[in-house]
Amino acid sequence: MAGPMKMRATLGQGFTEVRVLMTHPMETGQRKDSDGKLVPMHFIQNLTVKLNGKTVVDAQISQAVSRNPVFSFRLKGGAKGDKIEVAWLDNQGDSNSTESAVA
Amino acid sequence: MTRPLILAALFAAPALAEPTPADVQKQMQRDFHPRGQATMERLAQDGVQRVCTETRDRPPAQVAKALEADQMKTIAFPEGSLMGDWKRGEAIAQSGRGMTWNDKPGDAAGGSCYNCHQLSPKELSYGTIGPSLQGFGKTRGTSAEVQRYVFGKIYNAKAYNLCSQMPRLGASGTLTPEQIKDLVGLLLDPASPVNQ
Amino acid sequence: MNRIRRALLAALVICIARPRAALAAWNKDAFGAKTAGDALKSLGIGNAAPSKEVTIDAPEIAENGAVVPIEITSNVPGTTALIVVIDNNPFPLIARFDFKENALPFVKVNVKMGETSDVRVIAEAGGKHYVATREVKVTIGGCGG
Amino acid sequence: MKPIALLAALALTGAAQAQDTAKEIQRYRQMIAEGSPVELFEFAGEELWKRPQGPSNVSLEKCDLGRGPGVLKGAYARLPRYFKDADRVMDLETRLLHCMTTLQGRSEKDAAARVFGTADRPAEMESLSAYIAAQSRGMKLDPGVSHPKEKQSIELGRALYFQRAGAWDFSCASCHGEEGKRIRMQDLPVLYKPQFARPVIASWPAYRLSTSGFITLQWRMNDCYRQMRTPEPNFGSDTTVALIHFMTVTARGETYRGPGNKR
């Protein structure tokens, strides 16, 4: 039930900028819903960025990353058409990934 | 070839006339629906609202005087001291609840005071639509007249300044006389943070 | 024969280990720590030297603690990881980013802050740690839009 | 929370520092704009635009937003305006509702059942607004001003802006009537004056940081009236469209740079 993800990888000056947006509630487990009940913790824990199939960034994150996370990473060099893949896994076992080519 | 032009001109002429408050009220009656405690009667302007709309809040002095006198009659001044508990007053001043379509009718409302006024120096998230009331009681004291003025002003601000932007918090049924007394306490009590 | 067996075994190990490794990669102790000190200890970070080569770009004042943008970079040669800690958050460890050779030690992300706090970024390079600190003030607002 | 301590510190410092504060908050907003998840809503909106729905099981791709069926580029910047087929002035959301009923064959009740969403479940109208508005980025706001019904709508909007009503006697101008005022800490733009309307209108609809949801101008009208203690305005009514129309005309000529970000 993972919502949409969106990614853009563009050539910058000497590096490739990867900007990725994910739909995720990033619930801290401390927020109460309208009925006053605590909303259970639900957040992305692992995030990986792959360049042409090889992991280049491996991240562990906490519930303190804002809702609907937006990350930017920079990869060395890079060329048009290089394949970038970003995947995440949350504490409830949900996951999602997206792929795009450097433009 | 000139016919469409003439037609357009005919159409345009009445359309340009600025709608009167009565026209607007009719339009709103068509375009709104009641929800919760917010009934359709709330769209019907009373004399104060109509005059202030028509004159863009600058009513002729004579009209203002007459209507202010009418408004003064709506104020039910309780007997005895009008100075309540400033601590309860502070909570009422902080709360912005009450009278909206999603507030429950029975629940205690607030005065939304901090939305527009500076009061206690401890609260720095205050609005500036109304004047700062910090230190209000310091110079004015707590005489019966001052208490009466403050109570009356909160109960029905329009009795003192016809086109004030301040709601008629007592006359509209938002706050009870007891709550207004607590706000008087907040403004006048020497122990209130407002006067520190 | 032996080589084939070894290769098969290795493949098998990878197959089993992989998903588990992904799950285990989240450092429960470090992320569950209630103080920045405990979190860093769990990550095996002792003394970190203050360094101008580690930079944090963040607003001095954030209108809304739910969304505080930070941009972190390390110019320390051979940086392999960046760790983000927000001292006054209930769980101070925010993130750990490990960079392989093709990634620059740079991240931009929005984080939540419960209150005004120091934001600390620690860079790991050659087994050593370098730190930068920046205070972000958190304010609240009115009724919005 | 220690905002109080912070604000106290701010209050104690001089005017120069107050200026720094304003500058820092400006910088915060700039950084927010660069890292906003607003694109997620644009993305979801694109899917909704192309997804067949309703009894007719067709998408909205043939919907005419004023520049011809299916033309999205620059369409938002030219709204609200008069539509001959409906014989009335429409803003984006009203027009979308029209397309949902006429093209997709949905009942108005169904299409308008849930027009304001939550962070967990954005409304169809919100995502669609994000997608469509984004395709007017960089274009000048150019709402309709010449048709008699457009003129009528603008005048109605102006009159509504100053109409006192509701349990607390408010008009829009009660809060948005004088320069330099604020409610709590929130600045209040004077929306009948071009210099204030321009930056505001050019950034709606928007992602709202405090709720992580997407908000539209129809929502803004609705929630202002709620706080004005009136009954609830009907979604897409002439009243809400006229107010949006009046304010957009006041902001006319400004370059559209939304969907924006609100606190």
Side-chain angles (χ1 to χ4, degrees):
Chain A
M1 272 301 290
M5 255 176 109
K6 199 173 158 76
M7 175 170 41
R8 212 172 24 215
T10 41
L11 278 180
Q13 287 177 320
F15 58 82
T16 299
E17 178 118 10
V18 177
R19 185 165 183 267
V20 59
L21 296 86
M22 313 161 219
T23 310
H24 203 285
M26 298 302 286
E27 288 293 351
T28 60
Q30 294 169 340
R31 192 176 68 89
K32 284 180 181 157
D33 65 13
S34 49
D35 303 327
K37 274 187 286 194
L38 280 178
V39 181
M41 260 194 185
H42 186 201
F43 63 101
I44 295 173
Q45 292 186 318
N46 294 92
L47 182 76
T48 53
V49 184
K50 285 182 182 173
L51 170 63
N52 296 325
K54 273 175 74 180
T55 299
V56 287
V57 182
D58 203 341
Q60 305 170 51
I61 66 172
S62 82
Q63 61 274 32
V65 167
S66 303
R67 187 185 187 105
N68 296 331
V70 184
F71 285 92
S72 291
F73 299 105
R74 284 177 184 171
L75 311 182
K76 274 177 213 165
K80 261 195 183 137
D82 275 355
K83 206 180 84 179
I84 313 272
E85 189 190 338
V86 176
W88 59 253
L89 177 68
D90 73 19
N91 69 321
Q92 298 185 0
D94 260 348
S95 63
N96 200 1
S97 66
T98 186
E99 236 182 66
S100 122
V102 175
Chain B
M1 273 318 272
T2 52
R3 240 182 90 208
L5 270 175
I6 293 164
L7 269 176
L10 282 174
F11 266 113
L16 275 171
E18 209 174 301
T20 64
D23 296 338
V24 174
Q25 190 177 309
K26 245 182 253 157
Q27 183 70 48
M28 290 175 88
Q29 292 286 354
R30 277 197 290 274
D31 289 348
F32 284 65
H33 59 268
R35 183 169 165 186
Q37 61 174 303
T39 58
M40 294 298 277
E41 287 85 76
R42 292 192 184 180
L43 296 175
Q45 289 187 314
D46 73 347
V48 175
Q49 292 179 341
R50 203 187 55 246
V51 166
C52 295
T53 301
E54 271 167 359
T55 63
R56 296 267 167 100
D57 296 341
R58 282 181 200 86
Q62 290 294 343
V63 177
K65 226 180 215 166
L67 286 173
E68 281 167 9
D70 283 351
Q71 291 298 305
M72 194 59 87
K73 290 177 206 147
T74 68
I75 306 175
F77 289 99
E79 299 285 311
S81 169
L82 297 176
M83 224 167 75
D85 177 350
W86 69 261
K87 282 183 190 140
R88 284 199 305 253
E90 167 69 13
I92 294 162
Q94 288 282 2
S95 168
R97 310 191 75 161
M99 304 299 273
T100 74
W101 66 63
N102 54 10
D103 289 313
K104 283 196 202 97
D107 289 358
S112 293
C113 310
Y114 281 104
N115 279 5
C116 303
H117 297 283
Q118 181 177 29
L119 291 130
S120 164
K122 285 189 199 120
E123 179 53 84
L124 290 136
S125 176
Y126 58 84
T128 59
I129 297 167
S132 169
L133 302 173
Q134 211 170 84
F136 187 87
K138 258 194 206 165
T139 50
R140 293 171 179 84
T142 58
S143 69
E145 286 120 75
V146 172
Q147 288 184 27
R148 200 177 155 83
Y149 166 72
V150 175
F151 184 94
K153 176 83 186 182
I154 299 169
Y155 196 98
N156 188 343
K158 269 74 175 179
Y160 301 81
N161 171 8
L162 192 71
C163 295
S164 161
Q165 304 303 336
M166 182 165 156
R168 294 172 267 189
L169 291 163
S172 64
T174 306
L175 298 178
T176 64
E178 279 310 304
Q179 285 181 302
I180 296 175
K181 276 159 79 171
D182 291 336
L183 287 174
V184 176
L186 178 68
L187 282 167
L188 298 181
D189 194 324
S192 158
V194 168
N195 298 317
Q196 298 315 303
Chain C
M1 186 68 181
N2 222 343
R3 251 176 59 196
I4 294 169
R5 241 190 81 163
R6 239 193 328 234
L8 271 174
L9 207 66
L12 203 66
V13 167
I14 289 166
C15 288
I16 295 168
R18 241 195 172 168
R20 214 200 264 158
L23 281 170
W26 196 74
N27 191 325
K28 207 174 160 188
D29 289 343
F31 281 108
K34 299 272 170 72
T35 67
D38 288 350
L40 293 176
K41 217 182 287 165
S42 297
L43 289 173
I45 299 170
N47 280 340
S51 169
K52 286 209 173 83
E53 299 302 308
V54 181
T55 60
I56 307 172
D57 189 11
E60 254 176 63
I61 299 167
E63 272 180 296
N64 187 331
V67 188
V68 182
I70 57 167
E71 192 177 302
I72 59 177
T73 321
S74 170
N75 294 316
V76 179
T79 298
T80 50
L82 286 173
I83 293 110
V84 184
V85 169
I86 297 177
D87 287 57
N88 293 351
N89 266 18
F91 299 99
L93 180 60
I94 307 304
R96 180 189 167 103
F97 301 94
D98 284 285
F99 304 98
K100 310 296 184 247
E101 57 184 305
N102 273 317
L104 294 166
F106 166 95
V107 181
K108 203 159 121 184
V109 64
N110 297 331
V111 298
K112 296 174 200 158
M113 291 182 66
E115 56 182 78
T116 296
S117 172
D118 274 346
V119 175
R120 282 198 276 167
V121 172
I122 294 127
E124 193 170 279
K128 288 198 179 127
H129 295 103
Y130 306 87
V131 64
T133 306
R134 196 185 161 122
E135 190 189 43
V136 175
K137 296 173 181 130
V138 176
T139 178
I140 44 161
C143 57
Chain D
M1 276 284 186
K2 283 171 191 155
I4 287 173
L6 157 68
L7 290 166
L10 294 180
L12 286 172
T13 55
Q17 290 208 354
Q19 220 167 26
D20 285 352
T21 304
K23 236 183 5 205
E24 277 303 317
I25 288 187
Q26 210 45 50
R27 209 165 79 86
Y28 169 75
R29 290 181 184 159
Q30 180 63 36
M31 284 187 86
I32 286 290
E34 287 164 8
S36 161
V38 81
E39 279 171 70
L40 286 174
F41 291 86
E42 296 172 20
F43 194 54
E46 182 174 3
E47 285 185 3
L48 282 167
W49 177 257
K50 294 175 178 166
R51 182 193 299 167
Q53 286 200 88
S56 317
N57 198 36
V58 294
S59 74
L60 289 167
E61 285 164 297
K62 292 260 160 64
C63 179
D64 184 353
L65 298 171
R67 311 216 74 179
V71 180
L72 295 176
K73 190 108 190 120
Y76 179 71
R78 288 162 47 86
L79 294 172
R81 66 176 46 246
Y82 173 78
F83 286 87
K84 205 172 170 207
D85 56 7
D87 190 30
R88 62 172 289 210
V89 174
M90 293 169 144
D91 68 340
L92 174 60
E93 292 161 83
T94 311
R95 187 64 187 169
L96 283 171
L97 187 61
H98 174 84
C99 286
M100 288 171 187
T101 53
T102 55
L103 288 177
Q104 297 184 319
R106 297 157 70 178
S107 72
E108 195 169 320
K109 208 177 148 208
D110 160 68
R114 194 172 172 281
V115 285
F116 308 134
T118 59
D120 294 319
R121 209 157 65 89
E124 197 181 351
M125 211 52 96
E126 293 164 343
S127 302
L128 283 168
S129 298
Y131 171 58
I132 295 160
Q135 296 181 67
S136 281
R137 236 178 253 138
M139 304 194 188
K140 294 216 181 324
L141 294 177
D142 183 24
V145 293
S146 50
H147 189 277
K149 290 218 168 167
E150 289 171 342
K151 291 181 179 173
Q152 205 177 359
S153 164
I154 296 161
E155 286 313 310
L156 174 62
R158 189 196 315 277
L160 279 159
Y161 195 94
F162 295 99
Q163 178 89 354
R164 296 260 206 155
W168 283 8
D169 314 321
F170 289 157
S171 71
C172 302
S174 293
C175 290
H176 299 274
E178 254 187 87
E179 292 168 30
K181 300 286 181 187
R182 51 172 224 235
I183 189 162
R184 289 276 182 165
M185 292 299 277
Q186 185 74 16
D187 292 328
L188 294 161
V190 181
L191 295 162
Y192 66 90
K193 294 191 177 171
Q195 70 266 40
F196 302 107
R198 282 167 165 264
V200 173
I201 300 300
S203 60
W204 278 88
Y207 182 71
R208 192 182 199 195
L209 300 169
S210 52
T211 55
S212 311
F214 195 81
I215 45 178
T216 65
L217 277 170
Q218 281 286 335
W219 173 84
R220 182 66 276 175
M221 298 307 111
N222 181 281
D223 204 57
C224 273
Y225 274 121
R226 183 182 64 82
Q227 295 181 71
M228 288 162 76
R229 275 77 182 173
T230 69
E232 186 173 33
N234 299 334
F235 181 86
S237 59
D238 287 340
T239 289
T240 54
V241 171
L243 273 168
I244 293 166
H245 196 184
F246 167 62
M247 291 185 279
T248 311
V249 167
T250 307
R252 192 149 69 119
E254 185 73 358
T255 301
Y256 182 68
R257 45 185 177 272
N261 294 277
K262 306 278 171 188
R263 187 192 52 77

